[in-house]
Amino acid sequence: MGLRSIALSDQVSYPWFEPAGTRRGGVTNASATGYINSEGEFVRVALNEGQRDTLYSNNVNPITFLNGAGLVVFGQKTRARNASALDRVNVARLTVYLRSQLKKLAKPYIFEPNDKITRDEIKQQVESLIGAGSSSSAEPSRTFYGRPREPRSA
């Protein structure tokens, strides 16, 4: 269910948006939450707020029913053991996205001279990728910014 929610989220937003909540975390391939008991029967369970909080504090993103929205993913934690920015799905996905885009962007510059011309070309492409200094149609809260560093002298 979680992977499908991520795929559906990607259809309506950027990968660095949380695939959770009523707008991007809808669960469309299930009609109820619950478990299979010892007799093999499905038992419906409606999580209360305390149960959701307990699951979330144990790094389990609960799937719950919300009136007016249906089943939704109600969290965005990863299985990261240590608390950091990367323990959130959207930040981890942003990192993966940027790494893949930067790898594609940098590939043509392998074995090019490490001079100001090359650095300026790469800087321009990176700024174009991340929207720094451009008049992007996306509002600022929907994009991300960064500034490349000048290389250290050896």
Side-chain angles (χ1 to χ4, degrees):
M1 283 186 265
L3 292 177
R4 183 179 174 116
S5 295
I6 289 172
L8 292 173
S9 174
D10 285 353
Q11 291 178 2
V12 298
S13 65
Y14 297 106
W16 52 90
F17 276 51
E18 303 87 350
T22 58
R23 290 188 179 184
R24 292 176 303 280
V27 176
T28 59
N29 58 339
S31 58
T33 57
Y35 65 94
I36 306 292
N37 66 15
S38 59
E39 288 85 39
E41 298 171 350
F42 179 77
V43 178
R44 288 178 179 243
V45 174
L47 298 177
N48 63 38
E49 189 174 340
Q51 291 168 324
R52 284 194 317 245
D53 292 346
T54 300
L55 286 169
Y56 195 70
S57 66
N58 287 294
N59 291 341
V60 175
N61 295 321
I63 296 172
T64 190
F65 181 85
L66 295 178
N67 288 330
L71 287 177
V72 297
V73 177
F74 205 76
Q76 62 144 345
K77 283 190 175 182
T78 66
R79 297 292 297 161
R81 293 181 184 200
N82 299 324
S84 76
L86 291 173
D87 70 355
R88 299 291 187 258
V89 171
N90 66 321
V91 177
R93 293 187 73 226
L94 170 61
T95 302
V96 169
Y97 173 80
L98 285 175
R99 282 182 181 164
S100 69
Q101 294 301 310
L102 291 171
K103 184 177 179 180
K104 290 178 194 173
L105 182 145
K107 194 174 246 180
Y109 295 98
I110 296 174
F111 300 113
E112 291 299 315
N114 184 9
D115 59 13
K116 184 167 178 17
I117 294 170
T118 303
R119 289 190 302 270
D120 286 346
E121 287 178 11
I122 292 172
K123 179 180 175 183
Q124 181 181 15
Q125 288 190 16
V126 169
E127 286 177 347
S128 175
L129 171 69
I130 63 174
S134 70
S135 58
S136 173
S137 61
E139 53 190 87
S141 67
R142 300 196 184 283
T143 187
F144 48 90
Y145 296 95
R147 187 182 63 160
R149 279 190 333 205
E150 288 296 319
R152 295 184 181 136
S153 310

